[in-house]
Amino acid sequence: MTRGSWQKRTLVGGLALGVGLAFGPAAQPAVAADPWVVNTADRSSVEVREIWTENRATHEGPMFAEEPLLSAPFAPGELHADAAADGLNGINLARQLVGLPGDITVATGRQADLQRAAVLLQVNGPGGGLGRPDGMDQDFHDRARTAVASSNRAWGFRSIVDVNRYLLADANGDNVRNVGHRRWMLNPTMQQTAFGFAGTTGATWVLDTARTEKVDYDILAFPAPGAFPVDYLKPAGSTRATVPWHVSLNPDRYDWDATGHTVTLKRLSDGREWTFGADDADPRGEFFAANFQRFGVANAFIFRPDPSTIDFAAGDTFEVTLAGGIYEEGTRTPTTVTYRTTLMALQPFSDHHPGDEHFAAVAWLADEKISTGYGDGTFRPTSSVNRDAMAAFLYRVAGEPDYTPPPTPTFTDVPVGTQFYKEIEWLASTGITTGWEDGTFRPLNEINRDAMAAFLYRLAGEPYFNPVRQSFSDVAPGVKFRKEMEWLADMGISEGWAVVDTREFRPLTPVNRDAMGAFLFRFVDKLGTPTP
């Protein structure tokens, strides 16, 4: 039986190098009164998207406050504060995605030396070693080499954010065998980092173990249980899912043999399974490895389907089962580890971005398959919602109930075969719509905000409600659908528009698609899935 060991090792794979240096046993940190508990199993796509929105890279200006000098006499330069903030946020984002604390800070005293490391690596190039270039000061070189020795590093990128994203993927060559860069970045005991960038080369200090807070976990997995971005399974710019999966066990809860392990990956939508074991040794195809070297947590069970045979998609849920040679800690009682991961897209539509109005709600529409957008990948958020699309939205919000539409149409302008015929007929069957007195539904008409309020009120089952106040200056007593609009306000589903010292609902204004997303998101958040 093995728990792994400290080993000296340099990772070389493509244009990335990582660290795995030997250290003496570190002093045990004081146990915090309230440990951080890793638990992502119930995390939603909305929560993941919030983490990403708060930590995504936003700096578009110059990379440096002071440019590095890449020839004699050489100078480290200094990252622009916003570029450095993006680098730090990227590391905290990665850690939060797997459930770890996202409170890493910069060890400011190391930044200059990491800049020296980036200069040395850029000048010598990948495979060029760490020799002192002509004209480089000995002290500069010594400090650069020391920083390199405790850092992940990579060549050929535009920013430190891109460097760290590449290293987190660990999808290149021998890096797949141990995902060492990733494991250092996801080390539970990490508290600080530092990074440097020069030319197209980055170095990130990752050997910190200064965290005093105890991090309690059963497993650390990438992708993590619960919602996880499908974006992280393909390296930037790649069309193939070459990023390996891995799971690390808490050695305080598990023991394991050196060999005999298997992993089963099952896609729940169609039941397809992939089983990985010792025979899957091709780092460019189907792969499995049990690695017990000390890269952060000293165990990792690494697996990946042959990238040429699978394309992961948002909405896919996978069940992972690790078995064989795994035991409850301190015993020979066999056990298995099972968890589920549901993949989601960080930005489902190409024309709706973080920071845009109602971004979270529109993305939620995609997560729940309430809207698939258009064939070109857009959502068209400021376009108006037609009545037929409204019927489709409400049918899907209700969970797509089992319903067989009648062979004889209810509405004269919605014949059998019309797009959304089933959804429109369902809407009529529930009493959510009665159409117009002339027997039409007018499916291609825009839906106004007052009618939208009426639809949602009926979808909720027409709960008893007696409006006692006037929430909106343009919705006075006697206005059609006043009760329904006031109900939206009372439930917190609509706030209307702030105008000077009052609010307006604008009942006859057509509903935009992004606003419809917000109304539906709040409706479900307040009331749950409706059952009209």
Side-chain angles (χ1 to χ4, degrees):
M1 183 185 304
T2 181
R3 289 277 185 84
S5 59
W6 293 89
Q7 298 188 32
K8 182 176 181 179
R9 181 173 173 81
T10 300
L11 303 184
V12 182
L15 298 182
L17 293 176
V19 295
L21 301 181
F23 293 92
Q28 294 299 310
V31 177
D34 296 310
W36 177 278
V37 178
V38 174
N39 183 8
T40 62
D42 296 325
R43 192 165 60 186
S44 70
S45 58
V46 173
E47 292 171 305
V48 170
R49 207 169 278 117
E50 287 176 352
I51 294 169
W52 172 63
T53 301
E54 292 170 0
N55 291 279
R56 67 189 180 92
T58 58
H59 179 59
E60 297 180 352
M63 183 63 60
F64 301 101
E66 181 181 340
E67 288 278 347
L69 187 57
L70 303 179
S71 58
F74 299 99
E78 181 182 355
L79 284 170
H80 188 283
D82 291 340
D86 277 352
L88 179 63
N89 288 341
I91 291 175
N92 281 322
L93 169 60
R95 292 175 64 84
Q96 290 180 76
L97 288 178
V98 300
L100 289 168
D103 60 356
I104 304 301
T105 58
V106 170
T108 55
R110 292 181 179 267
Q111 284 287 89
D113 284 350
L114 267 294
Q115 276 297 125
R116 291 180 174 88
V119 169
L120 177 63
L121 294 167
Q122 172 68 24
V123 172
N124 285 349
L130 299 178
R132 182 161 65 95
D134 291 342
M136 180 175 285
D137 177 81
Q138 186 65 55
D139 179 68
F140 187 113
H141 183 245
D142 290 344
R143 294 170 69 176
R145 283 178 58 95
T146 299
V148 167
S150 57
S151 302
N152 288 341
R153 54 267 191 193
W155 292 260
F157 296 93
R158 295 179 299 175
S159 70
I160 194 65
V161 172
D162 293 339
V163 166
N164 286 331
R165 180 71 178 268
Y166 173 79
L167 294 168
L168 184 71
D170 261 347
N172 191 291
D174 282 347
N175 296 330
V176 174
R177 301 183 188 277
N178 45 48
V179 292
H181 303 102
R182 179 192 300 169
R183 287 159 64 189
W184 279 123
M185 293 170 69
L186 303 181
N187 185 6
T189 62
M190 187 179 184
Q191 182 64 71
Q192 290 190 315
T193 188
F195 31 79
F197 191 79
T200 62
T201 302
T204 300
W205 178 55
V206 291
L207 292 191
D208 177 67
T209 57
R211 180 174 295 277
T212 58
E213 174 189 39
K214 179 177 174 59
V215 177
D216 187 20
Y217 63 97
D218 189 50
I219 64 170
L220 291 176
F222 184 99
F228 190 88
V230 68
D231 313 64
Y232 277 76
L233 290 179
K234 294 179 181 179
S238 174
T239 59
R240 302 177 68 203
T242 57
V243 174
W245 298 43
H246 93 271
V247 56
S248 292
L249 307 179
N250 187 337
D252 291 335
R253 297 183 184 173
Y254 297 96
D255 291 332
W256 48 83
D257 293 333
T259 60
H261 318 290
T262 63
V263 169
T264 301
L265 183 68
K266 180 179 181 179
R267 186 166 57 199
L268 299 189
S269 61
D270 59 4
R272 183 179 177 185
E273 292 187 356
W274 294 261
T275 300
F276 309 95
D279 292 338
D280 298 309
D282 180 3
R284 292 172 178 77
E286 184 163 295
F287 183 77
F288 174 82
N291 184 284
F292 304 120
Q293 296 167 288
R294 181 57 191 256
F295 299 101
V297 177
N299 72 89
F301 299 88
I302 305 159
F303 53 99
R304 186 195 59 199
D306 184 337
S308 67
T309 66
I310 188 172
D311 185 23
F312 298 106
D316 284 344
T317 295
F318 290 88
E319 184 174 80
V320 177
T321 302
L322 170 63
I326 308 295
Y327 310 97
E328 297 176 9
E329 196 276 331
T331 76
R332 295 297 289 178
T333 303
T335 189
T336 60
V337 174
T338 301
Y339 60 94
R340 290 183 176 181
T341 295
T342 298
L343 302 177
M344 42 83 67
L346 290 172
Q347 183 182 324
F349 303 109
S350 62
D351 61 343
H352 205 229
H353 311 275
D356 290 349
E357 190 173 23
H358 307 314
F359 172 74
V362 169
W364 171 82
L365 289 182
D367 296 337
E368 300 299 317
K369 296 183 171 56
I370 295 168
S371 176
T372 57
Y374 292 88
D376 61 358
T378 63
F379 181 74
R380 306 177 192 176
T382 58
S383 296
S384 299
V385 178
N386 287 351
R387 289 170 55 84
D388 59 350
M390 182 70 175
F393 285 161
L394 298 186
Y395 177 70
R396 295 166 190 163
V397 164
E400 300 189 56
D402 186 19
Y403 174 73
T404 301
T408 302
T410 300
F411 303 109
T412 58
D413 58 348
V414 185
V416 175
T418 299
Q419 186 180 29
F420 303 133
Y421 175 74
K422 175 181 178 179
E423 292 85 345
I424 294 169
E425 288 290 348
W426 172 82
L427 208 65
S429 74
T430 61
I432 294 173
T433 186
T434 56
W436 269 267
E437 291 181 357
D438 63 0
T440 62
F441 180 74
R442 307 179 190 178
L444 300 184
N445 282 16
E446 298 171 333
I447 186 164
N448 288 346
R449 289 168 57 86
D450 58 351
M452 175 275 301
F455 281 166
L456 290 185
Y457 178 68
R458 296 168 192 162
L459 182 67
E462 299 187 71
Y464 174 77
F465 179 70
N466 181 29
V468 295
R469 63 187 177 92
Q470 183 175 338
S471 303
F472 307 106
S473 61
D474 56 351
V475 183
V479 170
K480 187 178 182 181
F481 301 136
R482 174 178 180 257
K483 179 175 73 173
E484 292 84 345
M485 289 182 276
E486 287 288 359
W487 176 81
L488 283 189
D490 186 72
M491 292 298 298
I493 296 171
S494 176
E495 297 178 348
W497 278 273
V499 180
V500 190
D501 56 354
T502 188
R503 303 196 74 81
E504 295 178 350
F505 187 78
R506 304 178 187 176
L508 300 183
T509 300
V511 182
N512 283 356
R513 286 169 57 83
D514 59 350
M516 192 68 244
F519 291 141
L520 294 175
F521 178 75
R522 297 171 195 153
F523 180 98
V524 172
D525 182 56
K526 303 290 184 181
L527 300 173
T529 300
T531 54

